[in-house]
Amino acid sequence: MTAASTANWAAFDRPELQAGFAQAQGGCEVRVALDGMHCANCSARAERLLAADVSALRVNLVARDISFRFRPAQVRLSALLQRLDEAGLQPRVLAHEASATRAIAQRRRAFARAGVATLCAMQVMMLAWPSYFGVQPQPPIEQLLRIAQALVATPGVVWAGWPFFSDAVRALKARSLDMNVPVALALAVAYGASLWRVAHGAGALYFDTATMFVCLLTLGRLLEGRTRARAVAHLRALSERRALTAQRLGTQGLETVPINTLARGDILVVAPGDALPADGELLDARAELDESLLSGEAQAQLRARGHALLAGSINVGAAPLQLRVSHCGGDTRLAQITQLLDLAQTQKPRLQQLSDRIAGHFVAAILLFAVIGLLLALARGAGLDAALNIALAVLVASCPCALSLAVPAALAAATDRLARAGVLVANAAALGALARIDTVLFDKTGTLTRPSMRLRRTRALAGLDVNRCQQIAAALERGYRHPIAAAFAGIASGLVVREAEQIAGAGVQGLIDGQRYWLGAAEQAPVALQLPREFQIADGCTRIMLCDTHRALACFELESPLRSEAPALIDELHRRDINCEILSGDSHDAVSAVARLLKIDQRAARQTPEQKLQRLQALQAQGRRVLAVGDGINDAPLLSAADVSAALPQGAALAQQRADLLLLGDSLTALPLAMDIAKTCNRRIRENLAWALGYNLVVLPLAMSGALSPWLAAAGMSVSSLLVVGNALRLAPAARKDGSIVGESVAVAKKPLGRLAGNV
Amino acid sequence: MASLYLLIPLGVCVVFAAIAAFVWASSNGQFDEIAAQADRLPDDER
């Protein structure tokens, strides 16, 4: 949506549109992208323009957006937008995502909890300081210190540790034991017993242990959560680029209306370059549409009058198109595909992590031992106080702190390491499965091949110079946006075209130096063509002809070029005994050509999303662990159901959000590296778990016998945790000055790829 | 030592004030973009 196409800002004052904005403190919160904001001066100007009329104004120069709160009763949003537009800041209201707002609130609360836990833990330790060193203050002062500890520990345990309590309750309600159960129990017992002892003025306190426990656990979770939030932030930005308004043809001509006021039968006008706001029926004779968001295929689609058009596709023709709305809102195909995705996601096989399997038994054992310790002490004739001491020592010392850090610390380190290699991990659980992959399913278009077309060969047919033919073609295609035009974009041409015209469904034509030329598919040519036989070979190429008014001048062979890194990648995968398969919606010829080049035997062409899903389920039924690599929404059900999925970022935004791994840098090179890192990560997790379990086996008898004093229990737990984190961080080694990365298996993976990269 | 009867409760009050200030600041998004601060330096190149 450009500034010019929305000169009419009034639609943004409509209550239907504003209903979508987040409401806070009697105002609407809105975020506006300012594409024209380039420097600190611009952002200061934007602030000055709005400051008088809005509150909670925040400018983000990095993301080039501005957010503010306004009161619809007092100020018109359209006036604010108009003001920004006139200042040249190119405002664009960003689509409101309820889930995004929720995620931000969650992240803020997690950060606040970790901060409060840390603050409380440090303050409690300050107040407990005399008892650490055996200093005996006067009894009233000591009691005052104990009360102060209880007060300061309360927000640190109750508020900051609240998620552990609520998760534990949820787990118990579901009749299962997870790590939150002993954590919550230890916190409750340590905090409750300490409170009771404060009230009675005697006995050791565990406030320091409890708060430090919460602090370590929340920091670990925060670390993991932030790394994952970084991975999805730019994806959210993509989904926010949806249009919020549509141009509707009303009784008084064209009006700009919010998309949620559209109804079946409305007639909409979509400018060139804009996305369709709803499904509908084409009213113009012809139109050209980029449906790559819906099909993942880059070819612009030609549609004739009466054909169904889909919301989310882009009008790539030269003229505005008209459509009559048939489905809008949640009824569009785009929305339905999203629902299909949700379904596929719920059916996704649960990734069993090693720690999850162990945790259930481990937790039960800890609880059992704590109770046994308590009963044994009571049987030996110790008082309830001493018995409780032993039970607490068991819970605190053997609390699965290291165990609970073992997995997230390694995952966070691996995520960070992968991000630096250009792979964003959207779903950390997928790393475990990635290490055990034995089959890879590839989409073709945009995955193994580049999404745009490339000129492979030019054959001059009428004695004309090849360069001259290319220059004529480049001049004719100049200014168009479809994939064929992209193939000629790199050819410099000084020729001037007059009366340039696009004949939808056929090609382009124009006058150059007084001569009329035509460029398009051979079957559509305006003159009868005698094609040599070699032009009729089905080898997956697209052929287009250049003609003048009476004969063919040249034939251009276009192809979707293979990604340069694809052959090396497939070789590398074969070397690792990983099966590769191509599942593509494209023609048999095109798929076979690519499969031959890459030496892939298993291939299937003309696949619908349902067929792709069936093939995947058949493989999974054979016990295969499948990685799916693709882009576009038609791959998305496949990506969701696969054990692990990877997507290339220039694909449709939706597919990226469903994928476990996002390959940045428009390249497949990082895949073997990601598998290596996943393997290393799995090894680290296993080492960490082994350490945590070993430590607990040693410490448990000590705690049970009552030989472990409280400070020793807490110290042992901390050292154990530090060791686990340190081991996990070995996974993310620092980059060397020459840019290479110091890592064990990483260097091995890079070598063959580096050697082969230049071959294609 | 008598001063401790005043200083300890005062210290506890200060901790609670700090907690309140921190929660207020983080729920208002003050820590949303810690890493972005580095990019806020004047960018004269563009």
Side-chain angles (χ1 to χ4, degrees):
Chain A
M1 179 167 47
T2 61
S5 72
T6 49
N8 184 3
W9 294 107
F12 287 95
D13 291 333
R14 301 273 292 261
E16 301 94 325
L17 190 144
Q18 296 197 347
F21 293 147
Q23 309 285 325
Q25 296 172 24
C28 285
E29 289 196 344
V30 58
R31 209 148 74 81
V32 182
L34 297 177
D35 293 332
M37 180 167 74
H38 297 298
C39 59
N41 263 339
C42 303
S43 63
R45 197 170 42 172
E47 281 186 65
R48 267 202 311 278
L49 284 171
L50 300 179
D53 298 311
V54 304
S55 57
L57 181 67
R58 196 170 298 130
V59 183
N60 186 339
L61 187 52
V62 182
R64 290 195 201 172
D65 64 28
I66 186 168
S67 64
F68 54 82
R69 189 183 303 147
F70 70 100
R71 289 172 188 277
Q74 289 164 11
V75 58
R76 284 184 302 126
L77 180 58
S78 61
L80 302 176
L81 294 172
Q82 184 100 40
R83 223 180 283 167
L84 292 169
D85 194 17
E86 280 164 7
L89 292 167
Q90 301 165 28
R92 200 156 39 79
V93 178
L94 295 174
H96 169 71
E97 291 274 336
S99 64
T101 320
R102 234 182 359 257
I104 289 172
Q106 270 170 4
R107 206 168 60 227
R108 285 176 182 173
R109 206 167 309 129
F111 188 83
R113 286 203 157 110
V116 167
T118 314
L119 194 69
C120 292
M122 289 192 295
Q123 295 306 316
V124 168
M125 273 190 257
M126 294 267 284
L127 295 164
W129 183 81
S131 67
Y132 289 169
F133 293 90
V135 178
Q136 281 287 326
Q138 294 159 7
I141 300 248
E142 194 183 0
Q143 183 61 12
L144 191 59
L145 281 172
R146 289 160 71 91
I147 292 171
Q149 277 190 57
L151 285 174
V152 172
T154 303
V157 175
V158 177
W159 187 71
W162 189 251
F164 301 109
F165 293 115
S166 58
D167 287 354
V169 168
R170 198 173 308 140
L172 287 177
K173 270 187 186 158
R175 293 174 182 283
S176 68
L177 287 174
D178 68 359
M179 275 188 251
N180 290 305
V181 175
V183 168
L185 191 70
L187 286 177
V189 171
Y191 179 75
S194 302
L195 269 189
W196 192 74
R197 287 172 177 184
V198 167
H200 288 78
L205 300 185
Y206 292 102
F207 286 128
D208 52 347
T209 317
T211 48
M212 193 167 73
F213 200 15
V214 178
C215 167
L216 282 171
L217 291 175
T218 49
L219 282 179
R221 285 195 178 183
L222 189 71
L223 195 76
E224 192 205 349
R226 282 187 93 84
T227 326
R228 265 182 297 141
R230 250 207 322 265
V232 291
H234 84 277
L235 305 179
R236 188 165 297 132
L238 275 177
S239 76
E240 282 173 344
R241 307 272 138 159
R242 286 177 297 136
L244 286 176
T245 58
Q247 305 279 323
R248 183 168 64 188
L249 203 60
T251 43
Q252 282 113 32
L254 219 51
E255 50 177 355
T256 308
V257 297
I259 53 166
N260 46 5
T261 62
L262 294 179
R264 201 190 158 99
D266 281 354
I267 293 176
L268 306 179
V269 177
V270 182
D274 278 0
L276 269 55
D279 287 359
E281 178 193 333
L282 182 64
L283 297 178
D284 294 316
R286 288 192 182 279
E288 204 168 349
L289 291 145
D290 173 4
E291 294 181 349
S292 61
L293 184 72
L294 296 140
S295 67
E297 307 299 337
Q299 287 273 18
Q301 304 293 313
L302 289 163
R303 295 281 181 261
R305 192 191 311 276
H307 279 180
L309 306 183
L310 300 175
S313 47
I314 294 166
N315 177 11
V316 288
L321 66 82
Q322 288 194 12
L323 81 156
R324 182 184 290 125
V325 175
S326 60
H327 300 95
C328 49
D331 298 331
T332 59
R333 185 171 157 87
L334 183 67
Q336 283 172 355
I337 291 173
T338 316
Q339 284 163 11
L340 181 66
L341 293 174
D342 284 339
L343 202 67
Q345 261 194 337
T346 51
Q347 291 166 344
K348 187 165 184 149
R350 267 298 212 219
L351 290 162
Q352 269 308 113
Q353 286 185 351
L354 193 52
S355 69
D356 280 352
R357 285 204 295 274
I358 296 170
H361 307 290
F362 186 80
V363 163
I366 293 177
L367 298 178
L368 191 69
F369 280 119
V371 173
I372 291 174
L374 186 81
L375 293 178
L376 275 181
L378 284 176
R380 275 205 311 266
L384 181 68
D385 205 49
L388 200 61
N389 250 341
I390 286 182
L392 257 181
V394 172
L395 275 180
V396 169
S398 62
C399 220
C401 198
L403 197 64
S404 61
L405 276 173
V407 178
L411 287 181
T415 308
D416 185 42
R417 174 69 190 78
L418 282 168
R420 281 189 276 146
V423 182
L424 289 184
V425 182
N427 173 16
L431 280 176
L434 183 62
R436 295 188 299 271
I437 286 303
D438 56 16
T439 305
V440 184
L441 296 182
F442 287 100
D443 178 38
K444 187 186 77 71
T445 312
T447 304
L448 289 172
T449 64
R450 301 214 153 269
S452 59
M453 290 229 150
R454 188 175 69 176
L455 181 60
R456 189 172 77 170
R457 196 151 48 144
T458 307
R459 290 165 187 250
L461 301 176
L464 263 177
D465 178 32
V466 167
N467 285 336
R468 169 78 182 168
C469 293
Q470 289 183 347
Q471 283 170 7
I472 293 172
L476 287 171
E477 293 283 5
R478 195 185 292 144
Y480 292 110
R481 286 172 53 168
H482 49 78
I484 292 177
F488 291 97
I491 297 166
S493 169
L495 299 175
V496 179
V497 185
R498 288 172 46 235
E499 296 177 27
E501 188 184 357
Q502 183 171 15
I503 311 149
V508 289
Q509 64 173 15
L511 275 176
I512 297 175
D513 297 339
Q515 172 70 49
R516 182 164 295 279
Y517 292 101
W518 178 93
L519 181 69
E523 307 83 62
Q524 308 279 346
V527 292
L529 296 176
Q530 288 298 318
L531 283 180
R533 185 175 302 149
E534 73 239 45
F535 286 7
Q536 288 152 22
I537 308 168
D539 60 356
C541 271
T542 304
R543 288 189 174 73
I544 60 166
M545 309 295 295
L546 176 69
C547 310
D548 59 13
T549 41
H550 55 279
R551 61 185 175 149
L553 298 176
C555 173
F556 300 100
E557 291 180 7
L558 303 181
E559 60 178 359
S560 305
L562 210 57
R563 285 181 183 277
S564 57
E565 71 276 14
L569 171 78
I570 303 295
D571 280 356
E572 175 68 20
L573 292 177
H574 280 152
R575 219 171 49 79
R576 296 172 181 219
D577 286 332
I578 294 173
N579 284 338
C580 298
E581 278 194 48
I582 302 180
L583 294 181
S584 175
D586 215 335
S587 70
H588 289 280
D589 298 338
V591 174
S592 304
V594 168
R596 233 185 354 261
L597 275 173
L598 294 175
K599 305 188 193 76
I600 296 178
D601 302 328
Q602 292 278 351
R603 57 178 179 262
R606 295 246 172 265
Q607 296 281 300
T608 63
E610 291 76 20
Q611 285 172 322
K612 290 184 180 184
L613 198 58
Q614 277 166 11
R615 175 67 189 145
L616 171 74
Q617 283 162 349
L619 283 169
Q620 284 176 333
Q622 292 167 24
R624 299 298 190 94
R625 285 177 291 267
V626 183
L627 165 68
V629 188
D631 72 339
I633 289 184
N634 65 346
D635 289 331
L638 177 76
L639 293 183
S640 290
D643 297 68
V644 188
S645 56
L648 287 142
Q650 86 283 3
L654 261 170
Q656 291 174 9
Q657 281 178 330
R658 309 293 163 175
D660 301 321
L661 305 173
L662 305 174
L663 305 176
L664 300 183
D666 194 16
S667 159
L668 296 165
T669 321
L671 264 187
L673 178 67
M675 290 179 185
D676 283 334
I677 292 175
K679 276 193 188 118
T680 318
C681 175
N682 268 13
R683 193 160 61 237
R684 292 282 174 275
I685 288 177
R686 249 175 277 134
E687 286 166 8
N688 280 353
L689 289 172
W691 165 263
L693 287 175
Y695 160 80
N696 278 300
L697 284 182
V698 171
V699 92
L700 199 62
L702 290 176
M704 296 258 305
S705 66
L708 210 58
S709 58
W711 70 270
L712 253 178
M717 184 194 75
S718 305
V719 170
S720 174
S721 307
L722 282 177
L723 274 171
V724 160
V725 173
N727 186 38
L729 289 181
R730 286 204 297 141
L731 202 123
R736 270 191 198 145
K737 273 191 189 143
D738 60 4
S740 70
I741 290 135
V742 195
E744 14 191 8
S745 48
V746 169
V748 184
K750 275 202 159 176
K751 216 181 289 163
L753 287 176
R755 179 166 52 79
L756 289 166
N759 288 3
V760 188
Chain B
M1 285 297 255
S3 61
L4 283 178
Y5 290 112
L6 175 69
L7 290 177
I8 290 172
L10 205 62
V12 172
C13 290
V14 170
V15 170
F16 275 98
I19 289 172
F22 181 77
V23 171
W24 175 82
S26 47
S27 61
N28 272 276
Q30 305 242 340
F31 304 108
D32 276 2
E33 295 156 65
I34 299 172
Q37 298 304 323
D39 296 326
R40 290 205 163 197
L41 291 172
D43 185 358
D44 296 333
E45 301 298 315
R46 274 192 284 213

